[in-house]
Amino acid sequence: MVPLNYYLVLSGVLFSIGTAGVFLRRNLITVLLSVEIMLNAVNLTLSPPAATTAPWTARSSPSSS
Amino acid sequence: MDVVSFYIFAAIAVLSSIGVIGQRNPMHSVMLLIVSFGGLAGLYILLDAPFTAVTQIIIYAGAIMVLFLFVVMLLNAHTEDDSLPAGLGPHALRFGALLSALLAVEVVWGLSRVGVTGFNSDPGAASAISSVAAIGQTLFTQYSFAFEVTSILILVSMVGAVIIAGSRARGGR
């Protein structure tokens, strides 16, 4: 399988591209698109650790807090 | 095989994202962003998260990007004016590009030092928890409070948008 680092590095690169777009572009719509790129980079950060850690189960004691 | 497809999807996502911020036409930017979301959906499929991939396609590429396309077409903003904003010279743009390049270098350097190992979950359990039935059952039983709070939050933002647009249409009262 692909190591977890690859996904994190990819999302970091995507986030940097988004920040570069926010800094560089002067059009409001393109700035909003860059913000969307950053949001998706953060989404991509959240998913691989969920795939690596031990899976939660749907019916495992809801009052376990 | 997995690594090869990861590289393909990652190249699609990164190159089209660079194209988004490199295009001068906002319409082309939106189209390239849809391509980038497609690459990210492929990555989610590689991560055994098909539900996330499908919602990525439906919600982002389907709904949000259509909204952006409507905005671009309604505003007639097909080209970008070359005028810099007031008080910002070309040095400010170069400084911003330098800052984001530094951010990229820092993130890649820091993450390459973290020794995270590979996946250790078995694919059966991963596909079992990422099935739509399991997600729906958990969402409406265990996390129903968070679900309802999120729906109230969306309702509040929707009412706020209607109020702001309505007051502006009535003359900014």
Side-chain angles (χ1 to χ4, degrees), chain A residues 1-10 12-17 19-21 23-27 29-30 32-34 36-37 39-40 43-44 47-48 51-53 55-62, chain B residues 2 6-7 10 14 17-18 21 23-24 26 29-30 33 37 40 43-44 46-47 56 60 68 72 80 83-85 93 96-97 100 103-104 107-108 111 114 116-117 119-121 125 129 137-138 142:
Chain A
M1 293 291 276
V2 186
L4 178 59
N5 271 356
Y6 289 10
Y7 287 100
L8 297 181
V9 166
L10 172 69
V13 168
L14 281 178
F15 192 85
S16 309
I17 290 172
T19 40
F23 280 132
L24 285 176
R25 305 309 290 177
R26 300 183 286 278
N27 199 348
I29 295 171
T30 321
L32 284 176
L33 292 182
S34 306
E36 289 290 331
I37 294 176
L39 286 173
N40 272 281
N43 272 341
L44 187 62
S47 201
T52 56
T53 52
W56 43 267
T57 53
R59 285 160 296 278
S60 72
S61 68
Chain B
D2 270 345
F6 170 79
Y7 277 127
V14 168
S17 298
I18 289 175
I21 70 169
Q23 284 289 323
R24 303 200 66 83
S29 290
V30 176
L33 194 56
F37 288 165
L40 284 181
L43 286 176
Y44 287 136
L46 278 185
L47 281 170
Q56 172 91 10
Y60 271 107
F68 270 105
V72 169
E80 175 174 306
S83 64
L84 287 172
L93 296 184
S100 48
L103 176 67
V107 165
V108 170
L111 284 179
V114 178
V116 185
T117 54
F119 294 98
N120 52 6
S121 69
I129 65 166
Q137 195 167 11
T138 315
Q142 192 172 353

Side-chain angles (χ1 to χ4, degrees), chain B:
Chain B
M1 184 56 204
D2 270 345
V3 178
V4 172
S5 44
F6 170 79
Y7 277 127
I8 290 173
F9 287 130
I12 289 173
V14 168
L15 289 180
S16 54
S17 298
I18 289 175
V20 167
I21 70 169
Q23 284 289 323
R24 303 200 66 83
N25 195 341
M27 191 78 77
H28 294 168
S29 290
V30 176
M31 294 298 176
L32 279 172
L33 194 56
I34 293 176
V35 175
S36 169
F37 288 165
L40 284 181
L43 286 176
Y44 287 136
I45 288 177
L46 278 185
L47 281 170
D48 283 334
F51 182 72
T52 317
V54 171
T55 48
Q56 172 91 10
I57 290 294
I58 291 177
I59 293 177
Y60 271 107
I64 297 182
M65 284 304 111
V66 166
L67 181 74
F68 270 105
L69 275 180
F70 267 118
V71 170
V72 169
M73 288 179 182
L74 281 180
L75 290 184
N76 243 342
H78 290 305
T79 54
E80 175 174 306
D81 50 347
D82 277 333
S83 64
L84 287 172
L88 279 183
H91 293 293
L93 296 184
R94 264 180 232 138
F95 186 61
L98 181 67
L99 275 185
S100 48
L102 274 180
L103 176 67
V105 169
E106 185 180 336
V107 165
V108 170
W109 181 75
L111 284 179
S112 59
R113 285 170 57 91
V114 178
V116 185
T117 54
F119 294 98
N120 52 6
S121 69
D122 50 336
S127 64
I129 65 166
S130 64
S131 73
V132 181
I135 286 176
Q137 195 167 11
T138 315
L139 194 63
F140 285 106
T141 55
Q142 192 172 353
Y143 298 104
S144 58
F145 179 71
F147 182 76
E148 296 298 333
V149 166
T150 310
S151 67
I152 291 175
L153 183 67
I154 293 173
L155 183 68
V156 165
S157 68
M158 204 165 71
V159 169
V162 167
I163 286 177
I164 289 174
S167 75
R168 195 167 293 171
R170 278 195 304 270
R173 234 174 352 110

